[in-house]
């Protein structure tokens, strides 16, 4: 269901973050009114745990889920991760409104039932929050909501994009990410990525993926300069800045 948040809402979707669970349910209602049928496929080759979307720790799970019920597919995914689906607001609200089935006891699993019985014991987004995710939580739902959230609905909003890029691209990725993804880099998928040009597939895929793991390359100061370039791009492409640019262009051509 969350894909609809980024895929269907316009450039002001961040306005609805404080009520994101209700927003996801509203979007599902709209989709079901417009489309005669919606089929969802969820790629669980990697599953992320922790403060998402940018700082999740990836785990190799090699699971694919598919369903014509978007509520059910999210419920099964939540249960696999170790959560009670009906304790998650958007799943519970959608279930109560009859938009799909959020109760795993009422969902028929077709396929690998052994995998469906797994529980991965994920901790979720709040157990080990990063500085960025903690501040976002305080702004949307905590003590910073009243003094700061208003700015996200004005031309001042790009400060949040700049802060996010500065934290993640200039600090978290260069200094923290390597340890977080070490297991994935050494996994079969990481080795396939590293040895792609030297391995040969057969009719069922890649029987051998090589021994050399994938590696992260750090380029020191050049990485920092790249993060500054991203900051500038982020500012130029910010919805609020782009909207003002469109307005000025329209005035010049009218």
């Amino acid at each position: 269901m969350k894909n609809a948040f980024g895929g269907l809402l316009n450039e002001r979707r961040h306005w609805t973050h404080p009520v994101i669970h209700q927003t996801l349910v509203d979007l599902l209602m709209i989709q079901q009114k417009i489309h005669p049928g919606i089929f969802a496929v969820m790629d669980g080759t990697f599953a992320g745990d922790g403060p998402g979307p940018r700082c999740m720790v990836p785990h190799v799970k090699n699971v694919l889920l598919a369903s014509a019920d978007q509520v059910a597919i999210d419920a099964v995914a939540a249960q696999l991760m170790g959560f009670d689906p009906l304790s998650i607001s958007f799943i519970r609200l959608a279930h109560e409104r009859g938009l799909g089935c959020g109760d795993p006891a009422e969902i028929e699993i077709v396929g690998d039932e052994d995998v469906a019985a797994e529980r991965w014991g994920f901790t979720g987004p709040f157990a080990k929050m990063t500085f960025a995710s903690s501040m976002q939580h305080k702004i949307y739902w905590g003590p910073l909501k009243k003094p700061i959230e208003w700015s996200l609905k004005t031309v001042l909003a790009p400060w949040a994009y700049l802060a996010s890029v500065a934290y993640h691209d200039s600090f978290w990725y260069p200094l923290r990410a390597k340890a977080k993804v070490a297991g994935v880099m050494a996994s079969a998928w990481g080795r396939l990525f590293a040895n792609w040009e030297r391995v040969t597939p057969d009719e069922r895929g890649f029987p051998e993926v090589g021994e050399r793991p994938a590696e992260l390359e750090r380029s020191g100061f050049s990485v920092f300069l790249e993060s500054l370039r991203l900051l500038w791009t982020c500012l130029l492409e910010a919805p609020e800045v782009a909207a003002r640019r469109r307005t000025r262009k329209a005035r010049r051509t009218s």
Side-chain angles (χ1 to χ4, degrees):
M1 289 172 62
K2 175 63 167 61
N3 281 350
F5 188 78
L8 298 181
L9 291 185
N10 66 9
E11 57 193 24
R12 292 185 175 87
R13 61 179 175 268
H14 57 279
W15 289 22
T16 70
H17 263 122
V19 288
I20 190 169
H21 291 276
Q22 295 85 347
T23 301
L24 296 180
V25 174
D26 289 346
L27 289 171
L28 182 57
M29 292 174 65
I30 293 170
Q31 290 178 82
Q32 292 186 356
K33 287 286 187 180
I34 295 173
H35 302 293
I38 304 171
F39 191 79
V41 178
M42 185 181 297
D43 184 352
T45 304
F46 295 97
D49 185 21
R54 302 194 69 181
C55 296
M56 284 186 165
V57 178
H59 300 272
V60 178
K61 293 301 179 182
N62 292 328
V63 172
L64 291 176
L65 303 179
S67 177
D69 183 335
Q70 291 199 57
V71 184
I73 194 172
D74 279 0
V76 171
Q79 188 176 55
L80 281 170
M81 289 185 278
F83 307 117
D84 173 10
L86 293 176
S87 71
I88 300 172
S89 295
F90 73 88
I91 295 177
R92 175 179 53 78
L93 290 170
H95 177 80
E96 291 173 350
R97 284 161 175 73
L99 300 175
C101 182
D103 185 351
E106 301 176 9
I107 299 172
E108 179 185 5
I109 303 294
V110 178
D112 194 331
E113 295 183 359
D114 291 336
V115 171
E118 292 180 0
R119 301 295 179 265
W120 301 335
F122 283 6
T123 60
F126 306 122
K128 298 179 180 179
M129 300 178 77
T130 63
F131 173 77
S133 62
S134 176
M135 293 303 295
Q136 183 186 48
H137 199 267
K138 288 181 172 67
I139 290 170
Y140 284 125
W141 300 284
L144 297 180
K145 180 178 176 65
K146 188 173 182 179
I148 294 181
E149 191 205 1
W150 65 269
S151 68
L152 300 177
K153 300 178 181 179
T154 71
V155 72
L156 299 176
W159 76 261
Y161 317 145
L162 294 175
S164 178
V165 172
Y167 177 80
H168 293 103
D169 293 280
S170 300
F171 169 71
W172 199 87
Y173 287 147
L175 300 180
R176 298 287 179 85
K178 187 173 183 178
K180 302 288 186 182
V181 301
V184 168
M185 303 296 273
S187 71
W189 289 106
R191 287 182 282 125
L192 177 59
F193 181 82
N195 301 293
W196 180 264
E197 296 179 344
R198 292 183 291 276
V199 294
T200 304
D202 60 21
E203 66 278 3
R204 300 188 61 185
F206 290 87
E208 299 291 337
V209 295
E211 296 297 326
R212 184 170 66 90
E215 297 178 355
L216 290 176
E217 294 185 5
R218 294 181 59 181
S219 304
F221 189 65
S222 64
V223 173
F224 178 71
L225 293 178
E226 176 66 11
S227 71
L228 295 181
R229 186 190 67 79
L230 290 172
L231 281 172
W232 178 246
T233 302
C234 180
L235 179 61
L236 291 179
E237 299 301 324
E240 293 76 13
V241 175
R244 290 171 69 88
R245 194 162 56 239
R246 289 194 300 269
T247 300
R248 288 197 299 268
K249 183 178 180 180
R251 287 173 179 171
R252 288 197 300 267
T253 57
S254 61

